[in-house]
Amino acid sequence: MSASTTARILSRCYLEVIRNTPLLVQLFFIYFVLAPVVGLSGFAAAVLSLSLFEGAYVSEILRAGILSIPAAQWEAAYSMGLNNRQTYRLIVIPQAIRTILPPLTSQAVSLVKDSAL
């Protein structure tokens, strides 16, 4: 959702790579390839891979929640003189929380289940 082309490309690549590879493959790659090079412990490698994996899904949940707010709400906030930051803080995020909470709760349960890997 960024206006920066570089940020959009980097985030899109991150999301596509993480969401299109199985968690077990990511765990193996980080533990057997990345951890020895960087010097991570097994626990740190597991936390890193679970964080990257779940972060990709949570970012999609947040993006969908923000996009679910009607354009009229954005226009009303801008017509009241709110800047972009105030629009997000006062108008968009409070309304998006209702949409975001159920799938975010489901993702938290998924994280607990995935930690068994």
Side-chain angles (χ1 to χ4, degrees):
M1 292 177 44
S2 175
S4 168
T5 305
T6 306
R8 276 195 316 234
I9 290 172
L10 287 175
S11 63
R12 183 68 163 196
C13 290
Y14 162 70
L15 288 173
E16 292 299 325
V17 167
I18 296 297
R19 290 184 69 204
N20 291 323
T21 56
L23 177 60
L24 191 58
V25 171
Q26 294 174 24
L27 282 166
F28 284 162
F29 178 77
I30 290 177
Y31 183 74
F32 290 115
V33 177
L34 191 63
V37 173
V38 180
L40 292 175
S41 66
F43 180 75
V47 169
L48 177 65
S49 61
L50 281 172
S51 299
L52 289 173
F53 184 75
E54 297 296 327
Y57 285 95
V58 169
S59 69
E60 284 294 312
I61 292 170
L62 293 176
R63 183 187 64 80
I66 290 171
L67 290 178
S68 71
I69 304 303
Q73 295 292 325
W74 296 82
E75 293 168 3
Y78 293 138
S79 69
M80 288 176 33
L82 299 178
N83 62 22
N84 208 15
R85 180 172 294 187
Q86 290 172 328
T87 300
Y88 272 102
R89 187 173 61 91
L90 299 172
I91 307 296
V92 175
I93 298 300
Q95 292 181 53
I97 291 292
R98 286 182 287 159
T99 307
I100 291 172
L101 277 180
L104 210 54
T105 304
S106 175
Q107 196 62 34
V109 170
S110 174
L111 173 63
V112 171
K113 290 171 26 179
D114 287 341
S115 67
L117 287 176

